[in-house]
Amino acid sequence: MKICVLVKEVPDAAVQKRLVNGRMDRGGERNLNPYDTHAIEEAVRIKEAGVVTVDEVVAVSMGPESADRAIRKAISLGVDRAVHLCDEAVAGSDVAATGLALAKTLERESPDLVLLGQQSDDGECYTIGAVVADHLKMPSLTQVIKMDVKVGTLTCERQAEYGYDTVEIPTPAVISVGDAINEPRYPSLKAIMGAKKKPVDKLTISDVGLDASQVGELGSRARWFDSAAPPPKAAGEIIEDEDTNETVERIVAWLDERKLLS
Amino acid sequence: MTDILVYALHYEGAFNKNSLGAVSEASRLAAQIGGEAHALVLGQGVSDDLAAQLGTYGAAKVFRAEGPEGLAQPVVDAMAKVIGDHGHGYALFGGGLLGFEIGAGLAARMNAGVVMEVTQVNVEDAKLVAERPILGDSSISQVRYDGELGIIIGRLNAFEASREDPAGPATVEDVEVAYQAFSTSATMIKRGEQRGADINIEDASVLIAGGRGLGKAEGFELLDDLAAAFGGAVAATRAVVDAGWFPYAGQIGQTGKTVAPKLYLAAGISGAIQHKVGMQASENIVAINKDANAPIFEFSDLGIVGDLNKIVPKLTEAVKAKKG
Ligand SMILES: Cc1cc2nc3c(=O)[nH]c(=O)nc-3n(C[C@H](O)[C@H](O)[C@H](O)COP(=O)(O)OP(=O)(O)OC[C@H]3O[C@@H](n4cnc5c(N)ncnc54)[C@H](O)[C@@H]3O)c2cc1C
Ligand SMILES: Nc1ncnc2c1ncn2[C@@H]1O[C@H](COP(=O)(O)O)[C@@H](O)[C@H]1O
C-alpha cells in the first residue's frame, strides 16, 4: 500500500510567541509543524511493522518555497519521497480551498492511507482531514491515538465528546492522528544529510488540475477581515522561582488575600 | 428569508449542551436576519419527544434522519440533503469535536466557507459575521461569507442554551437520506468508553490540575497531596488522559469537562486553547510552569515560573500549616 502524509510548514513555536509593536511576528524561523511528526512516525512504524506491505511513504505539502525545509525535515524522519504544491495562486486559501488543493494533489498519488497531524500549530483548525476526505470520497476520523492496521481495515481509537470511541474503517481512508499516538524519533545525522539530496516533486495548480479561481483568495468563501486585539485582561502577577522559600510564602500570601485558604 | 440549520448532537437520550447552545444562538440570529432556526438530528430511532425538545431552545423545525450515531460523515450527507432541498443560508455547530468534522466535510461538499473556534456571531446587513480568535487568542478576526452557504463552528461554551418563553415544541420532519458509500463504511465498535475511575471534578471548589509536565503517572501523587491539603480534587489535560496517567472523567476541556472552581491551580500544563475553554471561567487561576513563555501565563492571575517538583511539595506543607 501507499501512505501519504500531509505535512505543513509553520512558524517556529519559539518565534510565534514574539510580539513586535504589539503584533505577532510571523516572520523568522519556520519549521515542520510538530504535530505532523506524529503522522510521519506512524507511517514509518506501519511500514516497519510489516503487517501490511507499505511500498512507499510520500509526504505531501502545500506552501511557499520556504516550505522546502520542512519537507526535507519530513524526509529525514523517514518518508521516501515528497510532493510540494508550490504556487503563488494558493496563497490566502481558506480551510476549504486548502483542503481542495491538497485533495487534488493527493489524487495523483492514489494513496491507500492519508495521515495528517491533529492540528497545525498556526492555523489550529483540526479540520483539514475532514475536507480532504470528502473530496477524495474516503472515510475519515480525526484525533486518532491508536491505530491497528490490517490489510484493508484500520481499527482506530480516539477521544470524542463522551469518552473514547473505537471505530473500524476500511481503507483507503484519511486519518488525523493525535499527539499521544506515538513518540516520534529523532532523525540520524545521516538521514538529515541524505534528505538534502532527495528529489522533491514540485507542482503547480495546473499540474493537479486546478485553476486559480478554485484556490487562494479567489477560491475562498470565508473572508477574513481586520483583526483586533481582544479586550485587555488585567495582567496576572508573575513569580520567578529562585528555589527559595520566598516563592511559596508569596503564593500562600496571595491565596490568603483571596480567602482561598480559609 | 435566511434560515439557519444547526446540527444537534445527542447521546443516550440527551442533547449535548453545546448543541443546545447552538440552537439558541441560531434562534437569536435567525430573528435578526428574518429567518428561522432549524435543527438536524441523526440517529437510530430518535423519538418524537427528544427531537421536539429542541423547540424549547428555539428551533422552529427539526429534521430527523435515521442513520449511524457518533460519526461525522453520515451527518454531512444528511445536512447536504436538507440544505440542498431547503436552501439554508448558514449551518451552525456548537463546540466539541464531531461538529468540527461535520462542518468541514460540509464545506467541501457544498463549496462553502467555513470558520471554526468562533466565539461570537454578529449580524451586519442581514448577514452573519463570525468572530474567530487567532494566534493563541492574541487577536480576533472578523469573518464574512461569500456564496450561498456559510458554516460556523463555535468554540466550546461560546453559545449559551436558553429556553424560549413561551416555548413551543418544534415540528419534526423526517428526511430520507441516500447515504454515500464512503460515509457509511466506518463502523462504531464502541462509543463513549470511560477510561479510568469515575471521579467528580465539577463540584470541587478547588481543583489542582496536572499535565504532561508531571513527567509520569506517579507525578499525580504530588497533586493528590496538594489537593488533600486544600480539600479539593485533582483534574487533568487530554495529554495525560490519552497517556493513561489519569481518568477521563477528570479531564478538563473541549472533549472533557467544563469547570469553574473558586481556585484552579495548574502544574505542568501549557495552557492550550482546547484546555483553556474548559476552565477559563474559574475565579482564580494559578499556574506553575517552568517555561516562562507557556501560554497559560497569558490567562493566569498568578503565574509561577519554576519546577513543579520543587514547588508543589513545599506548597502542600505551607497550605497544611496555614489551614492548621
Ligand atoms: C480537537 C482537540 C480537542 C482537544 N481537547 C482537549 C481537552 O479536552 N482537554 C485538554 O486538556 N486538551 C485537549 N486537547 C489537547 C491540547 O491541544 C493540548 O495538546 C493539551 O492540552 C496539552 O496538555 P499539557 O498541557 O498537559 O501538555 P503540554 O502541552 O505538553 O505541556 C506541558 C507543560 O509542562 C511544562 N513542564 C514540563 N516540565 C515541568 C516541570 N518540571 N515543572 C513545571 N512545568 C513543567 C512545560 O513547560 C509545558 O508547558 C485537544 C486537542 C484537539 C486538537
Ligand atoms: N498547507 C498544508 N500542507 C500540507 N498539510 C497541511 C496543510 N495545512 C494543514 N495540513 C495538515 O492538516 C493537519 C491539520 O491542520 P489544521 O486543520 O490546519 O489544524 C496538519 O497537521 C497537517 O498534517
Side-chain angles (χ1 to χ4, degrees), chain A residues 118-119 126 143 179, chain B residues 97 211-213 237-239 251-256 268-272 274-275 288-291 294 306-309:
Chain A
Q118 71 175 40
Q119 69 198 80
Y126 356 111
Q143 311 299 326
D179 63 354
Chain B
L97 180 64
R212 195 138 47 189
T237 62
R238 186 183 81 169
Q251 178 185 312
I252 295 170
Q254 189 165 339
T255 45
I269 292 179
S270 61
Q274 301 80 18
H275 184 74
I288 304 173
N289 195 302
K290 67 176 184 188
D291 174 8
D307 183 351
L308 71 92
N309 296 301

Side-chain angles (χ1 to χ4, degrees), chain A residues 6-8 33 36 60-62 98 102 116-120 124-128:
Chain A
L6 291 178
V7 303
K8 185 185 183 189
N33 179 24
D36 299 347
V60 173
S61 188
M62 172 179 124
T98 301
L102 288 169
L116 56 160
Q118 71 175 40
Q119 69 198 80
S120 52
E124 291 221 87
C125 302
Y126 356 111
T127 44
I128 291 290

Side-chain angles (χ1 to χ4, degrees), chain B residues 38-99:
Chain B
H38 297 163
L40 178 126
V41 258
L42 185 150
Q44 282 125 326
V46 174
S47 71
D48 287 342
D49 270 2
L50 183 68
Q53 265 176 34
L54 293 169
T56 323
Y57 295 90
K61 190 188 274 185
V62 177
F63 295 96
R64 173 172 60 188
E66 187 71 21
E69 295 179 10
L71 296 167
Q73 288 168 307
V75 185
V76 174
D77 289 354
M79 290 185 85
K81 156 89 179 144
V82 170
I83 293 168
D85 288 350
H86 185 100
H88 293 88
Y90 297 93
L92 185 72
F93 299 85
L97 180 64
L98 222 50

